[in-house]
Amino acid sequence: MSPEQEKREYVLNAIASYPSQAQAAIALGTSPRVVSQWNTNKSTPRELAVRVVQLLEVLRGAGIEIPPPLDF
């Protein structure tokens, strides 16, 4: 498996851990459209998405609840 494929699988596994694509998008700080494009292989997650997933896992592992998105 190539590094790009591994990165994609890593992010897709994280997305699958949420009840919906919309909730995954909120947690990852992106839009449901982008998550949908990742799921349908129309685009590839960038390094930032991989780092966000990694940070979310560390926070969960430490028992820290992920804060809700900010409304402006």
Side-chain angles (χ1 to χ4, degrees):
M1 192 179 297
S2 75
E4 286 298 313
Q5 290 172 320
E6 287 182 32
K7 179 175 27 175
R8 183 174 182 276
E9 287 298 315
Y10 182 73
V11 173
L12 290 180
N13 285 334
I15 290 169
S17 72
Y18 291 91
S20 70
Q21 285 186 0
Q23 289 176 326
I26 290 169
L28 296 173
T30 191
S31 71
R33 180 174 169 246
V34 171
V35 170
S36 176
Q37 289 177 342
W38 292 341
N39 275 331
T40 58
N41 205 21
K42 292 181 182 174
S43 68
T44 303
R46 297 181 184 205
E47 286 299 320
L48 180 59
V50 174
R51 293 294 290 163
V52 168
V53 168
Q54 190 178 26
L55 290 169
L56 289 172
E57 289 178 357
V58 168
L59 290 173
R60 283 186 190 154
I64 300 170
E65 192 168 322
I66 300 164
L70 297 173
D71 289 325
F72 292 97

